[in-house]
Amino acid sequence: MSYRAPVKDMLFVMKELADIESIAALPGFEDASLDTAQAVLEEAARFNGEVVAPLNFEGDKNPSFWKNGEVTTTPGFKEAFRQFGEGGWQGVLHPLEYDGQGLPKLIATPCIEMLNAANLSFALCPLLTDGAIEALLTAGTEEQKQLYVPKLISGEWTGTMNLTEPQAGSDLALVRTRAEPQGDGSFKVFGTKIFITYGEHDMAKNIVHLVLARTPGAPDGVKGISLFLVPKFLTDKDGTLGARNDVHCVSIEHKLGIKASPTAVLQFGDRGGAIGHLIGEENRGLEYMFIMMNAARFAVGLQGVAVSERAYQKAAAFAKDRVQSRPVDGSAKQPVSIIHHPDVRRMLLSMRALTEASRALAYVAAAHCDFAHHHPDEAARASHQAIYEFLVPIVKGWSTELSIDVASLGVQVHGGMGFIEETGAAQYYRDARILTIYEGTTAIQANDLIGRKTVRDGGATAQAIFAQIDQTIAQMAERDGQAFKSMHRHLSAGTLALARVVEFMVAKVKSDPNAVFAGSVPYLKLAGIVLGGWQMARALLVATKKRSEDEAFYGAKIATAQFFAEHILSQAPGIEASIVSGNGQEGYLALSEDQF
Amino acid sequence: MSYRAPVKDMLFVMKELADIESIAALPGFEDASLDTAQAVLEEAARFNGEVVAPLNFEGDKNPSFWKNGEVTTTPGFKEAFRQFGEGGWQGVLHPLEYDGQGLPKLIATPCIEMLNAANLSFALCPLLTDGAIEALLTAGTEEQKQLYVPKLISGEWTGTMNLTEPQAGSDLALVRTRAEPQGDGSFKVFGTKIFITYGEHDMAKNIVHLVLARTPGAPDGVKGISLFLVPKFLTDKDGTLGARNDVHCVSIEHKLGIKASPTAVLQFGDRGGAIGHLIGEENRGLEYMFIMMNAARFAVGLQGVAVSERAYQKAAAFAKDRVQSRPVDGSAKQPVSIIHHPDVRRMLLSMRALTEASRALAYVAAAHCDFAHHHPDEAARASHQAIYEFLVPIVKGWSTELSIDVASLGVQVHGGMGFIEETGAAQYYRDARILTIYEGTTAIQANDLIGRKTVRDGGATAQAIFAQIDQTIAQMAERDGQAFKSMHRHLSAGTLALARVVEFMVAKVKSDPNAVFAGSVPYLKLAGIVLGGWQMARALLVATKKRSEDEAFYGAKIATAQFFAEHILSQAPGIEASIVSGNGQEGYLALSEDQF
């Protein structure tokens, strides 16, 4: 059940692919050297490995439970969360002035990956709190920031996001919760919110709910939604806790996975009205929510990387230990450990290649975010921001979709033992299944990728990325060996396929939106494969150059990159075919409801 | 939670693709007309829909449980199993002389699919009993057949297969259970067997365990394994139950899915020895076991089809009901049911296309089995048998692998509700996960496909199948329309890809077995996609011809075939690339254990 953070792999990506040394040269990040990063990662690895990871299986066996409106979390969670807060882990990327550490997102990112690999259920509380902090920093008054953010960073209080209602899953236009002004600047909030992660729990003294609601007379649809802060306990201006607010947890869900994370139904205002405070301006709630959602979506992408890594570690350990059957090449007369069987290797390399590629893409995206905020040049900031925003739906959608496959392969490597809950591999398969759904389903990520990120600028951001990929392809053309040969072939083909798909999207989005959006998720997956493959190609170039320094490490990187090219990038042209051909009005899009 | 058997789709496949009318013309199958088939299917649909399906969710909530060596099954299972036996459903394909119905496998196949779609956990008891019946019919004495088979067919008794031991999962060479002759023709059996499906339960008066064990002095490895029958209760020659035998259930497993199906650890001989009877000749146990395994593997393939169908029905019903978001093409100002969103359609069509293709391939395989046993011409029998045996690992491996993807898509269509256990979609995702593992993992199916089914005859059977596919391709070349255009393009490319892979396998299996077997599972999937796609192409030809007779039905068949071509067959060339390039000794196959 153990987890050992892959610090060496993470530092490789940060240094060689995400260029941490350039980030450390940005104004405000003078302390963010590779040495600092290494020290932070090693301490995070220790804390998550020793304190958080052992509670993961426990949380699955003894989930958080509800009784009389209160939620008791898994034994050990409360104490671990205390240590998490005291260690400063909630504040890694938040500003120094609110008691954060002010480090780059690129350094926070591996810390978040580790926390999630150690314990997906536990990590959700900090993940949602991060979102609340982001929203307050963006739209809160200085007074609100001073009151709430330091307490959220210290772990005394935690935060939630309240979007979904029973009739409104992904469609926020349908939100009905209402907020009535009280004349004193405060509001009374009434409504029901569902699927609220850590909406109620016993790990902190107070819970700060950020709630989407409508004020009287607000416009219909998404343009009439405002953002409110509704604390579980009312507070005075210095944060002293007062009366219990009228927000109550009426039940929690019985879920497929992440069972230790309480998913609450919250009732606002059943006893006279829940006191709430407007955050930012009225009717701009969706805009603020998108800011916290972008951060949360990126973090959920990391959850995909994290559960993939954990599943890989478990499967690799089992494959080294389990002795079954003689080798197919006749090289031994006795049964060998199953890691020697070619198909087990294929499964392990599939898991590892996908994990490494999705990690590299996420970390590179984090670096773009840092450049976007700290680069001295405005045009450079804008260009990094555009690339970051292009990458967020891919990191969220692709990393999570593949994490389901990776966790499933992890079960398969275990054979019959994988299906037995005591083994633990099945938990990752169950836990991973939520990741493509919450914080926006894969289809919603894919629609974002098409609508806001690809066609709005006529494909310009995508083209800028392709130009960079072409440079990598050119560097590979001159190299020898099967790894370069395969990578050159499949990255070239994949990039051409992706470029043609972008052209198709831009050309057809107005004239045939159904055909374009029918290809949305395949487009997102294709983009993930090609951009992830590009990072593997960059890793291949570095690993080849440094191979003699550390044969075991760089040799494995080369083999993994080659595997990615031959087994994963090779799928790209097939995906292109599924997007651009025949999705029009004469095929399945024209079927009537009754034909399903 | 309801299940409605797709009788019309099943009859379409039986008539148009599996040629039931030719089977009804075979000696011994004079009663197996399409009308008979329709009557049997309609009655099976009623029984499974009304009696068995409602117990599926119940079995997940209230799994079978163990106490003091006894297993109590889910409430309702015992009564449903009584009705199953009384209805004659266990005997559909077994011989008339032992109280079976003697119908073709092609008619039994949809019945088995329905039972499994209704309730995978419940269906496992008959599935294992079928295996025991097959083994007895193959290797038992006439006395043994008379004593056991009618009682297994009536449902008074049930059967099990005891292969796995704690140290021997897939590797039967490691079996240690021993059988000592008692001098009176009987044996005493000692050992521990694990993962024994329905190894103990309360649905029948007796359980007939078929057990692999070694006699004293038997050769090492798989050549020293014999097959024994060990009843739970000893019986006299007319089947009257006597003393309890020394085989005891010491625990059952806590599993990810199929929770109502008790998976037993059985202890043989702890109280002096379990009385067992040799079945067939000593040391030929593995051979007999393969006979029952071939039948069981085919049936597990049907389980894949079944859970896919069930997941599809549930997702389609939800998608028609759930209202969320306005259409992307602006065709409505209000939110619409999600079945109108292109990506939901893509998911539903993926589910449906894979389900229909895997069903068609399985039914066509069943027909080959019928021809192999009943065709008057010996050469025709041999050729059908070779094709059937080629198809069994594909039906088992491909139908089950895809069922995991289909069940996962089913969860995704439900969004957040899919992750809540009360919804029921998650159960299929959990249940399906065992199918690629038991009765031989996908890798074991793939090794069988390469070793016994492809390279042993130098690729001859594969070539014979390709020649048939080429005829279908030629028929399509002359037709108009996007569906034919896409199918022609992708089936041609897919078949060429598959043919090149077969060539690679045959050429390299001796010189580079690791490279060949590293491609085993991709080869199996490629074969599934191409052979499944071939059936969809054949369906497309029929549906186009008959379209005017029933526009809704045949129009949907055409759209589904086109979808299969564009979204699934289009993957074939990419899979070929992953098999034939670079799997040799310089890539990941050469990594040391420590590099994982």
Side-chain angles (χ1 to χ4, degrees), chain A residues 171 325 408 412 433 436 595, chain B residues 171 325 352 408 412 433 436:
Chain A
D171 187 359
S325 302
S408 183
Q412 190 72 16
R433 195 62 198 78
T436 61
Q595 287 179 292
Chain B
D171 187 359
S325 303
R352 179 172 176 156
S408 183
Q412 189 72 16
R433 195 62 197 78
T436 61

Side-chain angles (χ1 to χ4, degrees), chain B residues 24 38 78 115 227 276 346:
Chain B
Q38 181 160 357
K78 192 172 174 175
L115 182 68
L227 182 63
R346 182 193 62 81

Side-chain angles (χ1 to χ4, degrees), chain A residues 10 25 49 54 92 127 144 149 161 164 171 224-225 253 277 414 544 578:
Chain A
M10 290 168 158
V92 174
L127 192 155
Q144 287 169 334
V149 176
M161 286 164 65
T164 306
D171 187 359
I225 296 175
E253 306 292 349
H277 308 287
H414 286 80
T544 306
S578 76

Side-chain angles (χ1 to χ4, degrees), chain A residues 31 95 98 138 144 149 178 199 286 291 355 385 416 422 425 434 448 455 458 462 486-488 500 535 558 572 577 582:
Chain A
D31 296 334
Y98 303 107
T138 303
Q144 287 169 334
V149 176
R178 61 197 166 84
L286 197 74
I291 289 162
T355 305
Q385 181 66 23
E422 281 77 2
I434 190 57
D448 179 49
V455 305
S486 287
M487 183 59 88
H488 185 268
R500 281 190 295 259
Q535 302 312 323
I558 292 166

Side-chain angles (χ1 to χ4, degrees), chain A residues 485-529:
Chain A
K485 200 177 142 193
S486 287
M487 183 59 88
H488 185 268
R489 173 184 162 197
H490 293 296
L491 185 59
S492 305
T495 307
L496 284 172
L498 181 59
R500 281 190 295 259
V501 166
V502 166
E503 223 172 278
F504 168 81
M505 297 277 165
V506 172
K508 296 270 188 173
V509 69
K510 290 225 168 103
S511 62
D512 195 354
N514 285 324
V516 164
F517 285 95
S520 64
V521 169
Y523 167 44
L524 183 148
K525 287 190 186 179
L526 176 61
I529 286 173

Side-chain angles (χ1 to χ4, degrees), chain A residues 530-546:
Chain A
V530 172
L531 299 183
W534 174 34
Q535 302 312 323
M536 296 303 269
R538 296 178 63 216
L540 174 61
L541 285 162
V542 175
T544 306
K545 204 155 74 184
K546 300 200 166 179

Side-chain angles (χ1 to χ4, degrees), chain B residues 400-422:
Chain B
T400 60
E401 288 283 342
L402 68 85
S403 76
I404 297 173
D405 297 336
V406 169
S408 183
L409 283 169
V411 172
Q412 189 72 16
V413 168
H414 286 80
M417 296 304 297
F419 201 65
I420 306 299
E421 286 288 3
E422 280 77 3

Side-chain angles (χ1 to χ4, degrees), chain A residues 170-171 254 256 324-325 329 345 352 408 412 419 421 429 433 436 514 552 581 588-589 591 595, chain B residues 170-171 254 256 320 324-325 329 345 352 408 412 419 421 429 433 436 514 552 566 588-589 591 595:
Chain A
S170 301
D171 187 359
H254 173 219
L256 172 62
Q324 284 275 290
S325 302
D329 63 4
R345 291 199 157 217
R352 178 172 177 155
S408 183
Q412 190 72 16
F419 201 67
E421 287 288 4
Y429 176 72
R433 195 62 198 78
T436 61
N514 285 324
S581 70
Y588 67 98
L589 293 174
L591 292 177
Q595 287 179 292
Chain B
S170 301
D171 187 359
H254 173 219
L256 172 62
K320 293 178 193 181
Q324 285 275 289
S325 303
D329 63 4
R345 292 200 156 215
R352 179 172 176 156
S408 183
Q412 189 72 16
F419 201 65
E421 286 288 3
Y429 176 73
R433 195 62 197 78
T436 61
N514 285 323
E566 291 167 357
Y588 68 99
L589 293 173
L591 292 177
Q595 287 179 291

